Amino acid sequence: MTRIAISLEDEQVRGLAHMAHEAGMTEEELLREAVEQLLLSWRSPAIPRFARRLGPLAAPPTDH
C-alpha cells in the first residue's frame, strides 16, 4: 500500500470528519471508498457530448 499526502482546506477536513462520523467510518475509509468510486466511474464508458444534449432516448409515455 502506498501513502499519498494531500492538502485540504480546514473546512474540507471538518466536512470529511463529519461525513465519516455519520457513515460510521474513519476518514481514511471514506476517502478510500471515494477514490474507488472515482476510479470505477473513470473506467465506465462516457456518454458522448452530443448525446447529453439529446435528452432521454426512450419515447415519452402516451396516454391511451
Side-chain angles (χ1 to χ4, degrees):
M1 184 177 295
T2 301
R3 293 186 154 267
I4 298 174
I6 62 169
S7 299
L8 299 172
E9 299 292 333
D10 291 339
E11 186 175 318
Q12 292 172 318
V13 173
R14 285 190 296 274
L16 179 64
H18 180 73
M19 285 179 67
H21 177 76
E22 290 291 315
M25 307 168 83
T26 65
E27 289 95 337
E28 189 174 80
E29 291 169 328
L30 185 66
L31 285 171
R32 281 191 183 131
E33 186 175 302
V35 168
E36 185 61 33
Q37 291 299 317
L38 178 64
L39 291 173
L40 287 172
S41 68
W42 183 268
R43 292 182 201 132
S44 65
I47 299 171
R49 288 180 187 242
F50 72 87
R52 293 179 189 154
R53 293 189 301 264
L54 295 176
L57 298 178
T62 58
D63 295 331
H64 287 274

